[in-house]
């Protein structure tokens, strides 16, 4: 018997990708339900070669649902996730609403799948921020080998990380520039077309942004609380895939060749790293792919045991939808959930 899976936020960037990935991976679902706000009631979304009519989350009865993939933002999740759990479903949430709750596991299956068992406390499992997900996939195997002390990361994050409104803004501004029209700012604090913006999410008291803070706290929760991390998060005019320039300081020696060998064998990682023009991965090439790509691995000679590298992944897939579905697969494979009996 298959599972009943609800996708909440099915008309959004992440929700649409969730439906694609459920179909691509032949997820064992008897039923997939597309949910969004009342605004989208009756609109259609694709699920493999099928079309689903979108229902309103607020009117949906979750008593027959086994898994709810939540991708409708933090406030919707805070309000609805406990109610969905009370109706008997497990919630896998993409927003930041539950990530820092000590009773909610924050999971990247390649890194800390074993932590998933604590999901029963609240019935919710959190998916990390897109920049953290790809970072920890690449850092975990290196941490196992040489123990990471400190990470310095600068991100180059695509506009799809800011939802469908972010993509629309880059599209509109680019067209306005080519047709000599005025530029409108709606989603981003400055022009994003042919520009970059060193601010993602709001500023905190210490001058860092919330996105940068999330990378610190989430890396500690998923990988190791002892790792020190500092981030500068930057929005760039790319539609899909986030890139990261990363410097890592280790406790023990590790050479670039050793790192390449380790990462080649690591789950979810793909090494593309040759020292010639184009011998690395760019965001355009990573879009639509599942892997976390690692390129430009080299020694960082400014510290004792240092490496520098370039990490790229599709933020809508590994950074969100794919990771959520891998979590659902993990629940099923470990027999942590069973499908509810459906009425005939
Ligand atoms: N984009 C990424 O790379 C990424 C990565 C990790 C996590 N996330 C998180 O994933 C979530 C979704 O992101 P996104 O990029 O897909 O955003 P998005 O493109 O703006 O889509 C938002 C979705 O939420 C739905 N929604 C909004 N208000 C709702 C309500 N009151 N009731 C039910 N549904 C509602 C929208 O439905 P309507 O179309 O009806 O408005 C839409 O389907 C966010 O929490 C985001 O932080 C995103």
């Amino acid at each position: 018997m298959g599972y009943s899976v609800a996708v909440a936020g099915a008309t959004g960037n992440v929700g649409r990708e969730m439906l694609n990935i459920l179909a691509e991976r032949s997820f064992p679902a008897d039923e997939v339900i597309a949910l969004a706000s009342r605004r989208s009631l009756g609109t259609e979304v694709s699920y493999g070669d099928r079309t689903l009519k979108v229902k309103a989350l607020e009117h949906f009865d979750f008593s027959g649902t086994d898994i709810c993939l939540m991708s409708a933002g933090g406030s919707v999740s805070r309000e609805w996730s406990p109610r969905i759990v009370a109706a008997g479903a497990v919630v896998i949430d993409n927003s930041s609403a539950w990530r820092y709750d000590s009773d909610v596991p924050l999971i990247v299956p390649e890194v800390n799948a074993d932590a998933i068992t604590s999901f029963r406390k609240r019935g919710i499992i959190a998916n990390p921020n897109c920049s953290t997900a790809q970072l920890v996939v690449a850092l975990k195997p290196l941490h196992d080998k040489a123990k990471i002390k400190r990470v310095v990361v600068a991100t180059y994050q695509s506009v799809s990380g800011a939802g469908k409104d972010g993509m629309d803004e880059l599209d509109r501004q680019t067209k306005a520039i080519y047709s000599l029209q005025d530029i409108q700012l709606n989603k981003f604090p400055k022009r994003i077309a042919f520009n970059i913006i060193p601010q993602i999410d709001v500023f905190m008291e210490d001058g860092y942004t919330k996105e940068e803070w999330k990378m610190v706290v989430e890396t500690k929760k998923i990988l190791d609380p002892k790792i020190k991390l500092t981030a500068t998060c930057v929005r760039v005019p790319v539609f899909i895939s986030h890139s990261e320039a990363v410097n890592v300081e280790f406790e023990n020696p590790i050479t670039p060749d050793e790192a390449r060998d380790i990462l080649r064998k690591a789950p979810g990682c793909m090494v593309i790293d040759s020292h010639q023009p184009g011998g690395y991965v760019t965001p355009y090439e990573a879009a639509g792919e599942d892997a976390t790509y690692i390129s430009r691995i080299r020694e960082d000679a400014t510290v004792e045991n240092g490496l520098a590298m370039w990490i790229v992944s599709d933020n809508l897939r590994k950074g969100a939808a794919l990771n959520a579905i891998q979590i659902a697969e993990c629940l099923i494979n470990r027999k942590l959930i069973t499908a509810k009996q459906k009425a005939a």
Side-chain angles (χ1 to χ4, degrees), residues 8-15 35-41 57-58 70-74 76 80 94-96 99 127-130 160-165 242 315-316 319-320:
T11 53
N13 277 348
V14 174
L35 304 172
S37 76
R38 246 186 306 168
R39 297 179 289 275
S40 301
L41 189 65
L57 167 70
E58 62 185 288
M70 279 293 266
S71 182
V76 175
W80 281 94
N94 263 280
S95 78
S96 57
R99 287 179 196 154
N127 220 34
N129 180 269
C130 33
S160 59
K164 53 191 176 183
D165 293 349
H242 291 352
N315 55 297
L316 300 179

